[in-house]
Amino acid sequence: MNDGQEEIVGFDIDVAERIAEELGVELEITNMKFDGLIPSVQEGEFDMALAGFNPTPEREEVVSFSDSYHDLPFVILTTKDKEDTFNSIESLAGQEVAAQKGSTQETILNDYIEEARPVALGKLPEVISEINAGTVDAGVVGYLSARNYLDTYPNLTIADIDIEVPEEETAQTIAFPKESQALITEVNQIIAEMQESGEIDDLLEKNIEEAQAGDTDSRNTLEVYGPLFLKGAATTIGVAVVCVIVGTLLGVFVAMLRLSSNKFINTIAFFYIQVLRGTPALLQVFIFYFGLSAILTIPAIHVWDINLARLIPGCIALAINSSAYVAEIIRSGINAVDSGQMEAGYSLGLNRRITMKEIILPQAVRNILPALGNEFVSMIKETSLLSVIAVSELMFVADTVKAATYRTMESLFIAAVIYFMITWFVSWLVSLLEKRLERSAKG
């Protein structure tokens, strides 16, 4: 992310660009949550991943690693009022110390600061925010990241604590799918040449200097990243519309099965609804994302800078999740119509299908419209779950901007305002439609 453009920068990116240049291939960068990278590499979603991985035995069971390309030290970040208190590893005993979940920092925290009370958080900006707010006492952070945050949060400082960790445990490597031995050999050769020529040290020095220079852009976050937030909002609306349409159509079908007099069909529909309503939507997103990747290959085609290999499984998961709730909404709406209406249709010589279509459903729609509107509003918010699989919707953009600017609250506030404006507008449209249906019913 650079000056409001979707350009991801940093030391790892510089290394990746040089490797791609030497390999003679085009580099395609995907920004993703750290704890989702190894599973994605394992499934073959990426050719390689650079995110400061240390080749632990657990990781080596599922992916392969390159030789180490650097071992930049980690530091203890805390607030200035605790700087004098935290002056040794022993001084952290009993204190809450945070680290990014699944990272080398978390390993160091658990293995070498054993007396501290570890707190694992999903993303680095969350670690920094909690340190700055005082909800945790300190955090284990990479030196480059710490330097960047010092320029944004004057209240933070690097504690005078040396973390004595064997070099092999701080070695930073590149992760590859297991079947990539030929590529790993080529990359190892490039790394060796970069280290021998001093290019790795030059890239490190360059990034350290940029970190020490701080953020010189005095413009506010909305001014610089406004177009990116709007693009994320458009993606959120598009995903929500698709998921609601598909979910509603599937929900109608499931509701009809649920109302069937056939006990076997009714039971299947009941089980379908209970399973989807009884498990978290986030879990379903992960199951469809990794599950579909394991059984079929979705082309990594980019539409509006969004990878369909990630978007399609995410949309399927949300649409199916929505269908369970829509099915129950429709079923309850139909059951709310007086049973005499069905009997009246039969007395006129109409069959069940025509009676349902012409008499029951028009009345049921008026009953269920508010609930369907609420489902649409909920879906707009639930699209934020797709940020965990790197779909560039509004929440993903907010996370990306706060990581790039170190302005956590400002980025989250902008996203919150946009979410509110979208959901308020949808609620207003639903209200207008309700009033129109009421007028037509009275007429």
Side-chain angles (χ1 to χ4, degrees), residues 33-153:
K33 282 186 68 175
F34 185 89
D35 54 4
L37 285 172
I38 292 293
S40 294
V41 171
Q42 181 185 4
E43 295 295 334
E45 292 291 325
F46 306 115
D47 296 307
M48 65 176 74
L50 287 86
F53 291 115
N54 183 257
T56 62
E58 294 79 11
R59 289 172 178 167
E60 288 182 322
E61 289 183 3
V62 293
V63 296
S64 297
F65 291 95
S66 70
D67 294 336
S68 172
Y69 59 95
H70 84 104
D71 57 349
L72 194 68
F74 299 96
V75 297
I76 300 295
L77 198 63
T78 186
T79 50
K80 288 183 177 177
D81 61 315
K82 299 170 184 172
E83 183 177 11
D84 294 335
T85 304
F86 298 150
N87 50 27
S88 66
I89 294 293
E90 291 71 25
S91 66
L92 295 172
Q95 307 298 317
E96 288 196 335
V97 181
Q100 186 178 8
K101 182 170 58 177
S103 67
T104 304
Q105 295 95 306
E106 184 185 20
T107 302
I108 292 172
L109 171 59
N110 292 329
D111 293 349
Y112 295 94
I113 315 178
E114 297 177 357
E115 299 302 319
R117 296 164 59 193
V119 178
L121 299 172
K123 295 184 178 181
L124 182 58
E126 297 171 11
V127 174
I128 303 301
S129 295
E130 296 221 16
I131 298 170
N132 188 59
T135 49
V136 297
D137 300 294
V140 183
V141 182
Y143 176 74
L144 278 177
S145 298
R147 281 299 322 172
N148 273 311
Y149 281 107
L150 289 181
D151 293 308
T152 307
Y153 295 99

Side-chain angles (χ1 to χ4, degrees), residues 150-406:
L150 289 181
D151 293 308
T152 307
Y153 295 99
N155 186 44
L156 298 180
T157 187
I158 295 175
D160 186 18
I161 298 176
D162 291 326
I163 310 176
E164 296 182 3
V165 182
E167 185 175 325
E168 63 271 14
E169 294 193 30
T170 60
Q172 307 299 284
T173 61
I174 305 171
F176 297 84
K178 276 289 187 182
E179 64 276 8
S180 303
Q181 293 307 315
L183 178 58
I184 294 172
T185 300
E186 289 186 75
V187 170
N188 283 341
Q189 184 177 349
I190 294 170
I191 290 173
E193 291 172 356
M194 291 176 69
Q195 289 174 331
E196 186 177 349
S197 66
E199 189 171 0
I200 290 286
D201 293 334
D202 291 341
L203 292 177
L204 270 173
E205 187 62 31
K206 167 200 161 192
N207 281 271
I208 290 173
E209 288 175 358
E210 289 175 354
Q212 291 173 336
D215 183 7
T216 58
D217 194 340
S218 60
R219 293 173 292 172
N220 62 55
T221 303
L222 187 58
E223 180 184 354
V224 179
Y225 296 96
L228 198 57
F229 275 106
L230 291 178
K231 185 177 179 181
T235 301
T236 289
I237 295 171
V239 169
V241 169
V242 170
C243 290
V244 165
I245 291 174
V246 175
T248 299
L249 293 175
L250 184 57
V252 171
F253 175 71
V254 175
M256 294 301 102
L257 297 182
R258 186 76 177 85
L259 292 168
S260 172
S261 56
N262 186 303
K263 288 187 177 181
F264 177 71
I265 294 176
N266 186 292
T267 300
I268 291 176
F270 174 79
F271 182 74
Y272 173 92
I273 292 169
Q274 293 305 312
V275 168
L276 290 172
R277 291 175 51 175
T279 54
L282 179 60
L283 178 62
Q284 294 167 27
V285 168
F286 278 127
I287 288 174
F288 275 91
Y289 175 60
F290 291 114
L292 283 179
S293 299
I295 61 177
L296 58 90
T297 301
I298 301 174
I301 300 172
H302 287 74
V303 176
W304 209 25
D305 294 331
I306 299 174
N307 191 336
L308 293 185
R310 280 182 273 280
L311 180 63
I312 290 175
C315 285
I316 291 174
L318 292 184
I320 289 178
N321 176 267
S322 178
S323 71
Y325 293 91
V326 170
E328 284 298 275
I329 291 170
I330 293 173
R331 185 180 69 87
S332 61
I334 290 174
N335 287 338
V337 178
D338 192 286
S339 59
Q341 299 290 319
M342 182 68 77
E343 295 172 2
Y346 291 156
S347 68
L348 293 173
L350 303 177
N351 60 31
R352 177 181 174 82
R353 184 181 64 82
I354 295 177
T355 302
M356 182 69 71
K357 177 183 176 183
E358 301 295 337
I359 298 176
I360 304 299
L361 285 180
Q363 297 179 67
V365 166
R366 288 194 294 273
N367 295 332
I368 67 178
L369 186 61
L372 285 178
N374 288 336
E375 178 62 21
F376 191 14
V377 169
S378 296
M379 180 56 65
I380 289 170
K381 294 179 288 186
E382 285 186 1
T383 58
S384 62
L385 297 177
L386 300 189
S387 65
V388 302
I389 56 173
V391 173
S392 299
E393 47 68 61
L394 183 55
M395 194 64 217
F396 182 85
V397 169
D399 285 340
T400 303
V401 171
K402 73 182 184 182
T405 62
Y406 313 104

